[in-house]
Amino acid sequence: MDSLKSVISILFLKRIRSMNIRYTFEATLQQSAAYDGQKQVGFCRFDVQDQTWTIFTTHVLDEYGGQGIAKKMVLLVEQEAQKQGVNLQSTCWYATKILKN
């Protein structure tokens, strides 16, 4: 019974955390990022060459995993690429999966 309570508590805390996540596009750092308050909890980084952005990595802290944070960061980079009229590609397996859907 205690292990069930622990699982429920963890899921509840993740739900609360996901409601407080703030997403930003940080052009000068070539990334989108996710923050819980002042704490950076994830990033999606890309390289720029000519008129093409290439996403090469995404990362979310373990305790924030499973909440769709990485997906939202990838989609934010995609949105910004469209706004700026640049091509977007990916060498990151996760970002590639998201961009194909």
Side-chain angles (χ1 to χ4, degrees):
M1 188 63 137
D2 285 337
S3 63
L4 179 59
K5 287 180 182 178
S6 295
V7 169
I8 291 170
S9 293
I10 290 168
L11 292 174
F12 180 73
L13 288 174
K14 280 189 171 189
R15 173 87 172 119
I16 290 172
R17 283 184 183 149
S18 68
M19 295 177 357
N20 295 320
I21 302 300
R22 176 177 50 90
Y23 299 91
T24 63
F25 181 77
E26 302 169 343
T28 57
L29 298 176
Q30 296 178 317
Q31 70 176 14
S32 61
Y35 294 90
D36 183 0
Q38 296 299 313
K39 179 181 180 181
Q40 185 176 2
V41 299
F43 56 79
C44 174
R45 295 191 176 139
F46 60 94
D47 284 324
V48 176
Q49 188 166 7
D50 299 321
Q51 288 294 307
T52 301
W53 294 357
T54 304
I55 296 174
F56 64 89
T57 190
T58 58
H59 177 73
V60 175
L61 295 178
D62 289 342
E63 61 266 31
Y64 289 84
Q67 300 178 57
I69 294 171
K71 180 178 182 177
K72 290 176 185 172
M73 292 185 300
V74 169
L75 294 175
L76 181 55
V77 171
E78 180 183 42
Q79 179 183 14
E80 287 295 323
Q82 289 172 348
K83 279 184 190 176
Q84 296 188 31
V86 298
N87 299 313
L88 181 63
Q89 60 187 25
S90 174
T91 59
C92 167
W93 71 269
Y94 180 79
T96 299
K97 180 177 89 166
I98 297 302
L99 295 171
K100 285 186 178 178
N101 289 335

